[in-house]
């Protein structure tokens, strides 16, 4: 059952036409997620993580590529077919403040998916309320908050509403788009625990987006590292942390790890600005900031190659790095 | 089952309308404004019982009388009672104020929604035209339109309405654009809501409050502009006791009989002020984030 692929993304591209050029927000990304597993997607802000997640739910239309969910190609589906599939895939947004309608109470926010999709046909009002209360208790919201507005609650509780709303659809797959980035550090752990607990109980599959490697370390099975729209490294979580190969991954890791006294590992600093994926040339996109940079890096975009089982790296100097 | 009956009492529908009135009536300024508008409406109703003959009745033996019990606002150069004339004039200011503002809101919300929904070149064209409209001072624009159409209540409504349209275009476009990109709109999409349902249940209710606030504020502006146009003789035709026209006809004797301009002027000022403070109160009351 572990190898049961639930989501397969192939050569996904999303280009935005803007006044200043074409933004290659997601450029030829491929990955798979197995049922019940978590894929962590890591990268600095602006590297295309949210765009990838939104393409998978078809909240935005991909430019090209294939997305197969439970074996079905969804990029060519019409609205009605897509509605059916979306019941099975949900998203938890980064900022629970903006993802909740300020005019809706907790009850109204959580009941919306149930009513919209007629998930409880023929149920009485009391039964529906019971269901909302059950969802609230699942995510750790006290009953007395049922009539509260989002602005009356703190960030953690708001995020719990967002989670309850997603769970109301009983999805198998959830895109978590930086679900804790907007929260206080003290609350982050609570929400992460809740997500992990829900995954275990309901055999959920997550695509967990974050810019913070220490968060993804928490419960990812596999990790994809993105840089300016491209996947630069892909590996099982432990392998990635033990043996990071791409210069960018190494820089991210050394920035995330606490400096340990006496450790003789030098911290690698990320220098330079993150440029944007605006009309990129055919070269390594990390070249401007890379400490290993050499002339051949400017010749062609490096391809993802499998350096050891399940460990992929896109770097021209991959042989020297291993 | 007993549990079910219990829980059904737990979820209380919080009426947004009741919450709104609760917040509005707690705002002292808004209450004062509402009372003033209430009094004006009473005056308006009362003014329909005034005989137009009394309003225009000249009495040359009683010219320029100072305010007294008999003539609370005094009498003008032909001995007409200013009190009656001012009360009678309420209908012009209110109907031009409301009429022009309705017109502006109707046009502006429709045009602004187009700009906000479609973006791109539709938005570009609409906004450039709006910029041009906005760059012309309201008085000048009003003067041009009234001189083309001629002075009457209807034409004044059109002229003043066109002067206010830009506010509605901008505010509607801005709020629809802001809300369209909000994550809760995406969230509604994810749970399967159709675009039309999203527009009506998610976007418009949240775009509504700035429009209502603008409504109240622009009534004030409309009354002021129409009074100013009447003041310079471009408004309603002369015998009609529109407030701006009354102020205007008193200006030649400002030194000897200042009350002739002062009382209608005071009415204009208080009315404009009332709508403005109601606008402020509405902004707070319509925002659910304000403390109840
Ligand atoms: N609607 C859009 N129009 C133009 N550019 C966009 C749009 N949405 C995202 N982008 C650009 O695509 C890139 C990736 O954005 P995003 O996926 O939000 O990054 P992340 O979630 O990793 O921070 C960014 O450079 C962003 O500016
Ligand atoms: S290809 Fe070259 S520039 Fe790019 S990451 Fe590898 S070493 Fe650095
Ligand atoms: Mg993002």
């Amino acid at each position: 059952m572990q190898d049961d692929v639930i989501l397969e993304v192939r050569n996904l591209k999303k280009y935005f036409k803007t006044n200043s050029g074409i933004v290659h927000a997601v450029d030829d990304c491929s990955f798979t997620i197995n049922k019940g597993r978590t894929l962590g997607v890591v990268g600095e802000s602006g590297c295309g993580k949210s765009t990838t997640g939104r393409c998978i739910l078809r909240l935005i239309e991909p430019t090209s590529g294939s997305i197969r969910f439970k074996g079905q190609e969804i990029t060519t589906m019409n609205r009605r077919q897509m509605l059916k599939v979306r019941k099975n895939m949900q998203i938890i947004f980064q900022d629970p403040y903006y993802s909740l309608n300020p005019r809706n109470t907790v009850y109204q926010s959580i009941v919306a998916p149930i009513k919209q999709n007629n998930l409880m046909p023929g149920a009485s009002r009391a039964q529906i309320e019971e269901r909302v209360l059950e969802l609230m208790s699942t995510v750790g919201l006290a009953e007395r908050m049922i009539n509260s507005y989002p602005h009356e609650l703190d960030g953690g509780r708001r995020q719990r509403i967002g989670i309850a709303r997603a769970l109301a659809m009983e999805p198998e797959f959830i895109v978590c788009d930086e679900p804790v980035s907007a929260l206080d550090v003290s609350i982050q752990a609570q929400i992460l625990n809740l997500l992990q607990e829900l995954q275990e109980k309901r055999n959920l599959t997550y695509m967990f987006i974050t810019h913070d490697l220490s968060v993804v370390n928490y419960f990812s099975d596999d990790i994809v590292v993105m840089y300016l729209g491209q996947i630069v490294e892909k590996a099982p979580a432990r392998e990635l942390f033990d043996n990071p190969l791409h210069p960018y991954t190494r820089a991210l890791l050394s920035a995330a790890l606490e400096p340990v006294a006496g450790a003789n590992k030098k911290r690698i600093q990320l220098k330079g600005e993150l440029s944007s994926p605006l009309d990129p040339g055919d070269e390594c996109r990390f070249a401007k900031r890379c400490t290993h940079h050499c002339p051949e890096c400017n010749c062609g975009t490096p391809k993802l190659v499998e350096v050891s089982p399940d460990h992929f790296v896109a770097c021209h100097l991959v042989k020297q790095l291993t | 089952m007993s549990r079910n009956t219990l829980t059904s009492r737990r979820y209380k529908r919080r009426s947004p309308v009741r919450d709104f009135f609760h917040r509005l009536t707690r705002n002292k300024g808004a209450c004062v404004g509402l009372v003033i508008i209430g009094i004006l409406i009473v005056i308006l109703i009362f003014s329909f019982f005034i005989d137009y003959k009394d309003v225009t009745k000249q009495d040359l033996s009683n010219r320029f009388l100072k305010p007294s019990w008999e003539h609370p606002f005094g009498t003008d150069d032909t001995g007409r009672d200013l009190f009656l004339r001012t009360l009678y004039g309420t209908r012009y200011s209110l109907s031009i104020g409301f009429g022009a503002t309705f017109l502006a809101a109707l046009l502006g919300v429709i045009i602004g929604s187009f700009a906000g929904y479609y973006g791109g070149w539709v938005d570009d064209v609409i906004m450039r035209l709006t910029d041009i409209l906005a760059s012309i001072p309201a008085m000048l624009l009003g003067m041009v339109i009234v001189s083309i159409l001629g002075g009457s209540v209807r034409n004044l409504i059109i002229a003043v309405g066109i002067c206010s349209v830009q506010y509605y275009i901008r505010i509607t476009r801005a709020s629809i654009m802001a809300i369209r990109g909000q994550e809760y709109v995406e969230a509604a999409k994810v749970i399967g809501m159709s675009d039309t349902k999203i527009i009506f249940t998610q976007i418009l209710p949240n775009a509504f409050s700035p429009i209502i606030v603008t409504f109240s504020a622009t009534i004030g502006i409309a009354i002021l502009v129409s009074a100013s146009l009447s003041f310079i003789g471009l408004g309603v035709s002369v015998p009609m006791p529109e407030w701006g026209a009354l102020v205007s006809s008193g200006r030649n004797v400002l030194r000897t009989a200042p009350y002739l301009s002062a009382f209608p002027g005071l009415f204009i000022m208080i009315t404009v002020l009332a709508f403005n403070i109601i606008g402020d109160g509405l902004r707070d009351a319509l925002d659910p984030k304000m403390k109840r």
Side-chain angles (χ1 to χ4, degrees), chain A residues 30-50:
Chain A
S30 303
F31 52 86
T32 56
I33 309 179
N34 290 344
K35 181 142 182 60
R37 296 302 195 98
T38 299
L39 175 77
V41 178
V42 198
E44 282 163 289
S45 161
C47 71
K49 308 180 298 289
S50 299

Side-chain angles (χ1 to χ4, degrees), chain B:
Chain B
M1 273 324 272
S2 66
R3 173 112 209 242
N4 279 353
T5 37
L6 254 183
T7 54
S8 67
R9 259 182 258 127
R10 242 164 272 172
Y11 161 60
K12 285 242 162 45
R13 200 185 155 77
R14 278 169 71 170
S15 157
V17 180
R18 201 177 322 135
D19 279 9
F20 159 74
F21 278 111
H22 186 86
R23 286 190 296 261
L24 187 64
T25 49
R26 269 191 23 172
N27 183 320
K28 288 202 184 68
C31 289
V32 173
L34 283 172
V35 168
I36 294 173
I37 301 305
I39 293 172
L40 272 178
I41 289 170
V42 171
I43 291 176
L44 179 71
I45 295 167
F46 169 72
S47 78
F48 285 103
F49 298 102
I50 301 175
D51 192 345
Y52 191 61
K53 279 199 206 99
D54 291 337
V55 176
T56 50
K57 194 175 71 194
Q58 304 190 352
D59 181 0
L60 294 179
S61 58
N62 281 324
R63 300 167 67 213
F64 298 121
L65 288 185
K66 289 215 160 53
S68 64
W69 276 115
E70 207 177 332
H71 302 289
F73 291 0
T75 60
D76 68 4
D77 55 348
T78 54
R80 291 175 296 198
D81 181 67
L82 187 66
F83 183 64
L84 281 185
R85 289 176 71 72
T86 306
L87 297 197
Y88 195 86
T90 309
R91 66 186 64 183
Y92 302 115
S93 286
L94 286 190
S95 59
I96 294 168
F98 273 98
T101 307
F102 263 117
L103 183 72
L106 193 69
L107 290 177
V109 169
I110 293 171
I111 298 171
S113 306
F114 267 101
Y117 281 134
Y118 292 104
W121 69 267
V122 181
D123 181 42
D124 283 343
V125 171
I126 291 176
M127 290 326 285
R128 285 306 79 74
L129 291 177
T130 309
D131 285 344
I132 295 171
L133 197 64
S135 66
I136 310 170
M139 270 302 286
L140 193 63
L141 191 62
M143 280 162 66
V144 172
I145 299 172
V146 173
S147 7
I148 295 171
L149 298 176
S152 72
V153 171
R154 193 200 65 190
N155 293 347
L156 217 54
I157 286 176
I158 294 173
V160 176
I162 289 175
C163 295
S164 297
V165 126
Q166 50 142 328
Y167 301 110
Y168 292 93
I169 296 179
R170 283 185 206 286
I171 202 87
T172 310
R173 168 184 178 268
S175 32
I176 282 180
M177 279 193 158
I179 296 163
R180 199 185 53 178
Q182 295 274 321
E183 281 181 343
Y184 65 79
V185 174
E186 280 192 320
K189 226 173 172 179
V190 183
I191 63 166
M193 273 193 202
S194 66
D195 286 348
T196 355
K197 189 164 179 191
I198 289 175
I199 290 168
F200 282 104
T201 66
Q202 311 289 312
I203 296 182
L204 278 183
N206 283 296
F208 220 60
S209 50
I211 295 170
I212 288 181
V213 173
T214 311
F215 196 88
S216 182
T218 46
I219 287 182
I221 297 176
I223 291 174
L224 209 55
V225 171
S226 67
S228 310
L229 285 172
S230 299
F231 179 80
I232 58 170
L234 276 171
V236 294
S237 42
V238 180
M240 290 190 189
E242 201 271 347
W243 291 343
L246 291 178
V247 175
S248 175
S249 59
R251 76 182 190 279
N252 291 330
V253 287
L254 208 53
R255 239 176 253 181
T256 49
Y259 47 88
L260 286 184
S261 290
F263 283 112
L266 207 63
F267 266 67
I268 297 172
M269 200 187 84
I270 290 174
T271 311
V272 172
L273 200 69
F275 280 114
N276 280 343
I277 53 181
I278 291 178
D280 286 346
L282 281 175
R283 178 172 38 238
D284 296 346
L286 285 164
D287 184 355
K289 291 180 214 58
M290 292 297 290
K291 285 257 149 42
R292 296 209 324 140

Side-chain angles (χ1 to χ4, degrees), chain A residues 246-247 284 286-287 290 292-294 297 302 314-317 321:
Chain A
H246 196 280
C284 173
F286 187 56
C290 182
H292 298 262
H293 179 257
C294 71
C297 299
C315 173
H316 287 303
L317 302 184
L321 293 168

